[in-house]
Amino acid sequence: TPTDPYSADPAPLPRRDAQRYESVRLFVTRAHAARSGFEMTRENSGYIAEICRLLDGMPLAIELAAARVRVLSVQQILRRLDDRFQLLTSDGSGGLPPRQRTLRAVLEWSHDLLSEPERALLHRLSVFGTWYLEAAEDVCSGDGVDPADILPLHFSLLDKSLIVVDAEIEGTAHYRLTETVRAYAAEHLAEGGGEDERWARYLEFCVSRLEEAAENSRSPLGWPERLAHLRLLDHHRENHARVVTWALSRGRVDEALRVCVALRPYWLVRDLAAEGGRVLETVLAADPDGQSPWLRARALALQAELRLDVDVAPRVSTLAMCALEAARACREAGAAASALATMAALALRTNALEEGLGHAERALAWAEQAGDPLTEATALGVLAQLARRRGEPDRAVEHLRHCIELGEKLHDRWSVARSLHVLGSIAAEQDDFERARELFAEALTVFEELGAAPATAHCSRELGRLYLAEGRILEAREPLASCLRVSFTSGQRIAVARAMEALGELALAEEEAERAAALAGVAADLRTALDRPSAETVRLRSAVERRVGSARTVNAWNAWRSLPLEQVRDRALAFPRVSDRPAEPVTLTPREREIAELAEQGLSNREIADRLTISQATAARHIANIFRKLSISSRTQLTGWTSAQEQT
């Protein structure tokens, strides 16, 4: 008889009422997925409702049970579930919380119905956070599981809801276990005595694949392939952290170091300085005397490189010197080049230009010898900045063009975009504002495509300041706000400080002197904590004092300093209203006007991109800028815009 799954004393329940329950609908949906002809009928609705009641409406338990309709009737499922609960309680597990008893009962029931190869694969898959078929074939095969059977076994475990499809990354399907199933499978893997063997195979798999990818990045490799690899690594971050932790727990320190060193290009492009630095610090501290000298030298150089923007200068200097000494001792050219490049960047910050020039030139020579284009690009970038600081912009441009040639040869748009960004800064210094905007826009397209937060923030800040230099104050708001948002998300406090200084400069331009002081006060505190002082905060404070006097400046300077940084961010992004001020004339660039006219004609972003031979992302960015400048939110609001412009 149909029963109410939630009543203490089950009562008859019509089929139409059973469908009101979310748990019943989930069971029916999942059961239909498992067996296409399955339907809830008058005859089986009561059993379905009782199953859902027995499982407390828990989604995972319901999915696992419903998946069994492929081989069992709902009456059989209910009977076997009830038997399992009785067994679990009589087994001494009745003291477990009800939800744990429920899940464990369903998992054990599902597990007992698996074939031996299915069980073996399920247990071994617990080493992964996420995986793809090739990884499972390499790590989980053998000892009763043939590599050719891995794919059909995946189908079987998917049918039973024991594994789930995670995501499709660059055309490759990934799978995962829910945390509950993974913990249960890991428990069985440990009991069976095969845990270390599977983890060891996974460690070897990671080392091999990561080192191969790192080596490939040194040679010409198409940009789509580089992006695909980055996104794959994004998806496997948790896996790599777990495999390093396991390697350390078994004393396999060299292999943990190899994982970290191979992740260097990824950590640098993704700006995972804090995360990578924490991992490396732990690995470097594990049996330092037993580590391979060349690996330790590379890891020390990488640690200095990662800590450059997140640690105080003396600590970074010490790390870089240790790396250089270790590299010289074992003649590791790549590590020496990286350490010297870091020392050159530090010298640039302390205005020790001659010292920095020496370090950078040696870094470039060692990087060329080691065949390390990543360090070559870093050294060329530092040389360009040193030339700018020495008043030699033409020399700086020469270094940057060399870097662009290197990047284009490798199809590495990341390195190219970084150089374009600096070229834009040089153009802005020379008052070539239109050229600077073009260079910043080109660089931003790549940074945004990559999701490179710090580079995006830096370039957005430069673009905002460019608008300020041109007197286009309202247009400066969006890039400077974007700079702060992205910097805050990246977690780099020095980037947050720089963003707040730029917003302080904007506040001064908007005649909001006390707001400028409040922003600069927080920026100064952030810089003090990082031992990274700047003349910018001093300049801002002096400018505020000239406008409102010393007493009001002191009060404003301290106004936000005691607030949580999240509140400061929110206040910084809450711009003063401009309705009472004279409206600034709206000016679109020639390219923006061209795109606005095409959008008014009804062309999509893709059609505009094809018409103008630009990327779709560039078209979308121009549309966003047009909407912001014209204070509109949809394309329909562009109707009549062209004719209105022609009349003005």
Side-chain angles (χ1 to χ4, degrees):
T1 307
T3 56
D4 181 347
Y6 299 108
S7 64
D9 184 16
L13 184 70
R15 176 172 171 246
R16 65 178 179 275
D17 290 340
Q19 291 178 316
R20 290 188 292 119
Y21 294 104
E22 185 177 349
S23 58
V24 171
R25 293 198 304 272
L26 174 61
F27 183 98
V28 173
T29 300
R30 186 64 190 88
H32 183 75
R35 175 154 56 94
S36 60
F38 180 86
E39 291 182 4
M40 186 169 71
T41 65
R42 174 178 171 76
E43 289 72 27
N44 68 19
S45 62
Y47 295 104
I48 293 172
E50 184 64 14
I51 289 168
C52 294
R53 185 195 66 78
L54 189 62
L55 298 180
D56 295 324
M58 296 174 63
L60 174 59
I62 289 170
E63 285 205 21
L64 290 170
R68 288 292 169 185
V69 302
R70 195 174 185 189
V71 292
L72 298 171
S73 70
V74 288
Q75 293 95 322
Q76 289 174 304
I77 292 172
L78 178 59
R79 183 168 60 251
R80 287 167 185 256
L81 274 178
D82 190 54
D83 290 345
R84 172 56 62 185
F85 275 94
Q86 292 294 330
L87 174 62
L88 189 63
T89 304
S90 64
D91 238 8
S93 303
L96 288 172
R99 291 181 68 82
Q100 289 186 27
R101 288 205 307 273
T102 299
L103 267 179
R104 190 163 189 85
V106 177
L107 284 169
E108 289 191 359
W109 171 63
S110 296
H111 184 265
D112 289 348
L113 293 173
L114 298 177
S115 66
E116 282 302 320
E118 286 174 331
R119 290 180 193 173
L121 178 59
L122 180 67
H123 301 165
R124 296 168 190 177
L125 290 172
S126 65
V127 302
F128 300 112
T130 181
W131 73 90
Y132 50 96
L133 196 61
E134 191 177 359
E137 289 169 342
D138 191 288
V139 174
C140 301
S141 60
D143 297 329
V145 179
D146 191 281
D149 292 335
I150 295 287
L151 178 58
L153 287 172
H154 270 66
F155 288 145
S156 179
L157 293 175
L158 277 164
D159 281 343
K160 297 172 175 67
S161 290
L162 287 164
I163 66 176
V164 296
V165 175
D166 183 16
E168 186 176 306
I169 309 298
E170 300 302 321
T172 300
H174 281 66
Y175 311 90
R176 64 178 174 85
L177 302 174
T178 66
E179 284 304 312
T180 303
V181 174
R182 184 164 74 175
Y184 182 82
E187 183 182 306
H188 277 275
L189 182 64
E191 289 172 357
E195 182 180 24
D196 278 2
E197 178 191 354
R198 296 302 151 184
W199 274 102
R201 285 178 63 166
Y202 187 35
L203 174 62
E204 291 163 10
F205 179 84
C206 287
V207 168
S208 172
R209 294 306 174 93
L210 289 172
E211 288 183 340
E212 180 184 359
E215 187 60 33
N216 287 342
S217 71
R218 294 170 174 243
S219 306
L221 184 67
W223 181 241
E225 288 78 13
R226 289 182 183 273
L227 276 179
H229 181 62
L230 278 173
R231 288 164 183 159
L232 190 67
L233 291 177
D234 287 338
H235 198 66
H236 286 265
R237 273 172 68 181
E238 179 199 350
N239 280 341
H240 297 141
R242 293 173 72 230
V243 83
V244 167
T245 300
W246 182 84
L248 290 180
S249 74
R250 298 302 190 272
R252 303 177 70 150
V253 182
D254 271 9
E255 285 156 302
L257 283 173
R258 287 172 69 185
V259 170
C260 294
V261 169
L263 283 171
R264 179 195 177 213
Y266 173 69
W267 280 345
L268 292 175
V269 171
R270 280 290 184 246
D271 202 64
L272 295 172
E275 177 181 316
R278 283 193 301 270
V279 173
L280 258 183
E281 188 171 18
T282 302
V283 180
L284 284 166
D287 188 24
D289 295 332
Q291 296 170 10
S292 297
W294 70 273
L295 268 174
R296 183 166 179 81
R298 286 189 178 187
L300 284 168
L302 175 56
Q303 179 74 324
E305 195 171 17
L306 291 171
R307 303 306 296 178
L308 185 59
D309 281 326
V310 294
D311 218 334
V312 295
R315 165 132 170 90
V316 178
S317 179
T318 300
L319 284 169
M321 286 298 297
C322 288
L324 186 58
E325 289 173 12
R328 285 172 172 165
C330 63
R331 298 182 178 275
E332 175 51 56
S338 175
L340 284 164
T342 299
M343 292 166 69
L346 281 174
L348 177 65
R349 289 177 182 174
T350 57
N351 213 34
L353 303 186
E354 291 303 320
E355 179 185 338
L357 184 61
H359 290 327
E361 288 176 342
R362 289 200 301 278
L364 183 59
W366 280 108
E368 289 172 345
Q369 179 181 324
D372 182 358
L374 187 56
T375 304
E376 278 188 72
T378 301
L380 286 166
V382 175
L383 283 169
Q385 297 289 14
L386 286 164
R388 287 179 69 190
R389 192 75 62 83
R390 291 156 60 96
E392 301 172 349
D394 292 343
R395 180 67 172 158
V397 169
E398 184 181 331
H399 288 309
L400 293 168
R401 285 179 176 161
H402 183 183
C403 192
I404 289 172
E405 288 173 8
L406 178 65
E408 289 178 340
K409 179 180 177 182
L410 298 174
H411 310 300
D412 179 7
R413 294 185 64 198
W414 160 251
S415 293
V416 172
R418 293 170 73 193
S419 297
L420 290 173
H421 176 195
V422 183
L423 285 172
S425 301
I426 293 172
E429 289 172 356
Q430 297 173 338
D431 295 335
D432 189 350
F433 295 143
E434 185 174 353
R435 174 64 176 156
R437 277 197 304 277
E438 290 174 358
L439 290 163
F440 287 150
E442 191 173 349
L444 265 175
T445 299
V446 178
F447 296 152
E448 289 169 353
E449 184 179 20
L450 273 168
T456 300
H458 190 188
C459 200
S460 296
R461 186 174 76 250
E462 296 261 19
L463 183 58
R465 283 185 155 156
L466 187 65
Y467 282 130
L468 287 178
E470 294 180 272
R472 298 161 67 174
I473 297 171
L474 286 181
E475 290 177 69
R477 282 186 171 188
E478 179 51 37
L480 294 182
S482 174
C483 172
L484 180 59
R485 284 192 293 265
V486 172
S487 298
F488 201 92
T489 302
S490 76
Q492 285 198 1
R493 296 204 161 202
I494 190 62
V496 173
R498 290 169 179 153
M500 289 192 173
E501 289 164 355
L503 285 166
E505 191 177 335
L506 171 62
L508 279 177
E510 293 188 316
E511 303 297 332
E512 296 283 346
E514 288 168 278
R515 176 181 168 84
L519 287 160
V522 176
D525 283 351
L526 290 170
R527 285 188 171 279
T528 299
L530 295 169
D531 193 23
R532 298 279 294 277
S534 167
E536 181 68 12
T537 50
V538 177
R539 186 189 67 77
L540 282 169
R541 182 163 184 157
S542 298
V544 173
E545 285 181 346
R546 288 195 296 272
R547 286 166 171 77
V548 299
S550 179
R552 286 173 63 185
T553 298
V554 169
N555 289 336
W557 184 270
N558 295 323
W560 295 0
R561 292 174 65 194
S562 61
L563 297 175
L565 204 52
E566 291 81 1
Q567 287 188 28
V568 174
R569 174 201 59 196
D570 293 343
R571 292 190 179 198
L573 295 175
F575 291 108
R577 295 179 62 182
V578 296
S579 56
D580 296 333
R581 299 182 182 177
E584 295 184 27
V586 174
T587 56
L588 298 185
T589 65
R591 175 64 95 184
E592 287 169 347
R593 185 182 181 88
E594 186 177 16
I595 288 173
E597 290 171 356
L598 293 174
E600 185 185 4
Q601 295 168 25
L603 272 67
S604 67
N605 287 357
R606 181 183 295 279
E607 290 168 334
I608 291 171
D610 291 343
R611 178 80 63 89
L612 300 179
T613 320
I614 58 177
S615 73
Q616 195 172 341
T618 300
R621 184 173 48 76
H622 280 306
I623 289 290
N625 286 340
I626 292 163
F627 281 13
R628 176 173 46 78
K629 288 182 179 181
L630 300 180
S631 299
I632 62 176
S633 57
S634 69
R635 290 171 184 255
T636 56
Q637 292 173 281
L638 280 171
T639 303
W641 178 81
T642 303
S643 57
Q645 292 298 304
E646 289 171 352
Q647 293 171 12
T648 59

